[in-house]
Amino acid sequence: YTIKITGKNRDDVQAALARSGVSTMVYYEKPLHKLPVYAGMGVTVPASEAVAEQVLSLPIWPKIDRETQERVVEALTEAMK
């Protein structure tokens, strides 16, 4: 489940979650227009560039149990302090 981290550094939050045993992913570290295939096009998309530094995907899967959900929420709450 992808969330947007505001008010904190996304990478710091990700590291804190990892220390708490919660695995996360950053699926798009670069916005599409920054990928090598588009190099040289001279495109700037400030909103995409900003969001690429803020989004973080939390664990989610079919039938995730309530205990795991609560553990993720607690770890995220701590990481955001």
Side-chain angles (χ1 to χ4, degrees):
Y1 186 81
T2 302
I3 61 172
K4 180 179 171 186
I5 303 293
T6 59
K8 297 281 266 185
N9 178 284
R10 187 262 325 269
D11 296 335
D12 292 343
V13 172
Q14 185 178 32
L17 289 168
R19 286 191 298 273
S20 295
V22 176
S23 298
T24 60
M25 292 290 298
V26 176
Y27 289 108
Y28 301 101
E29 293 182 22
K30 292 183 179 183
L32 292 178
H33 69 282
K34 293 274 189 169
L35 295 177
V37 69
Y38 300 111
M41 292 186 74
V43 175
T44 59
V45 185
S48 293
E49 293 168 17
V51 171
E53 296 178 6
Q54 297 172 317
V55 293
L56 182 65
S57 295
L58 302 175
I60 191 166
W61 60 88
K63 298 186 181 183
I64 185 173
D65 60 79
R66 184 138 182 109
E67 180 181 326
T68 302
Q69 291 175 48
E70 289 174 359
R71 188 167 57 85
V72 170
V73 169
E74 288 171 10
L76 181 58
T77 300
E78 267 310 300
M80 292 301 294
K81 288 184 179 177

